[in-house]
Amino acid sequence: MDFESKLVPIMREGIDIIKMIFFKKLKAHLSQKYPDWEPAYIGKLSGAIINDLFGVVNTAEPFASFAKENKTHIEKEMKTIATEFEEMRIPLTDALRMQFLCDSQEGNDTPFILDRAKKFDILLVEREIPLPNHFLTMVRNLGDKFNLLHQLGTA
C-alpha cells in the first residue's frame, strides 16, 4: 500500500470529524433559533444541511424524501452559515478542500462542492489549501475541544 492510499482514509476521517463538530454546533444553533421545532426534525435538518454542503446525496429513505421536502429550509440555512458560523469557515473550507482532493485521488471530479460553498460565501477562497499534517492538527485540536476524537490515524 503506498503513501497516498493510506493518506486518503485518514483525511476522510478528519473530514468526518469536522462534519460532526459542525453537526453539533448546527443542531444547537437551530434548537435555539427554532425552539418550537421537534428535536428529531432539527437533527434531520442539521444532517441534511451538512450533506448538502458536502455534496452527499442520501438516497435511502426517509432521508431522501426529507431532503426533498425540506429543500427550502436547507437553502435558507445554507445562506446563513457564513455569518452565523464565522468560526467554522476555516475548518469547513479546509474540510471541503480536503474532500475535493480525496475525491480527485479516487478518480471523482467534484468541483461543484467547492463552487456551492463559494456561492454561499462559506468557502474562504483566499485561504491556501492546507497540507495534510496542518489539516490533521486542526482536526485533532477541534476534536479534542469537542470530545470527538477516537484515535485519528497519523499521516
Side-chain angles (χ1 to χ4, degrees), residues 18 25 55 57 72-73 80 85 136 152:
I18 298 298
K25 290 174 95 42
V57 178
T72 305
H73 284 300
T80 68
F85 296 95
L136 292 176
L152 184 65

Side-chain angles (χ1 to χ4, degrees), residues 55-148:
V56 176
V57 178
N58 192 341
T59 55
E61 289 301 339
F63 307 107
S65 295
F66 182 89
K68 187 178 280 187
E69 291 162 11
N70 292 277
K71 188 170 177 48
T72 305
H73 284 300
I74 293 166
E75 286 284 317
K76 178 183 172 197
E77 295 306 323
M78 287 284 287
K79 291 176 184 173
T80 68
I81 291 172
T83 55
E84 294 182 358
F85 296 95
E86 175 67 31
E87 78 285 0
M88 286 299 298
R89 286 181 73 203
I90 288 173
L92 288 172
T93 293
D94 290 359
L96 288 162
R97 285 184 169 155
M98 276 300 158
Q99 178 175 316
F100 174 77
L101 292 172
C102 289
D103 290 349
S104 296
Q105 282 295 314
E106 294 172 340
N108 300 316
D109 191 25
T110 56
F112 65 90
I113 295 167
L114 298 176
D115 293 340
R116 186 148 169 80
K118 195 183 320 178
K119 171 187 164 192
F120 288 109
D121 203 30
I122 298 164
L123 191 76
L124 297 169
V125 178
E126 68 283 353
R127 183 167 169 78
E128 288 190 31
I129 297 172
L131 295 171
N133 62 329
H134 294 142
F135 177 68
L136 292 176
T137 298
M138 178 190 64
V139 167
R140 283 189 189 100
N141 290 338
L142 286 170
D144 281 343
K145 186 176 172 185
F146 286 86
N147 297 315
L148 287 175

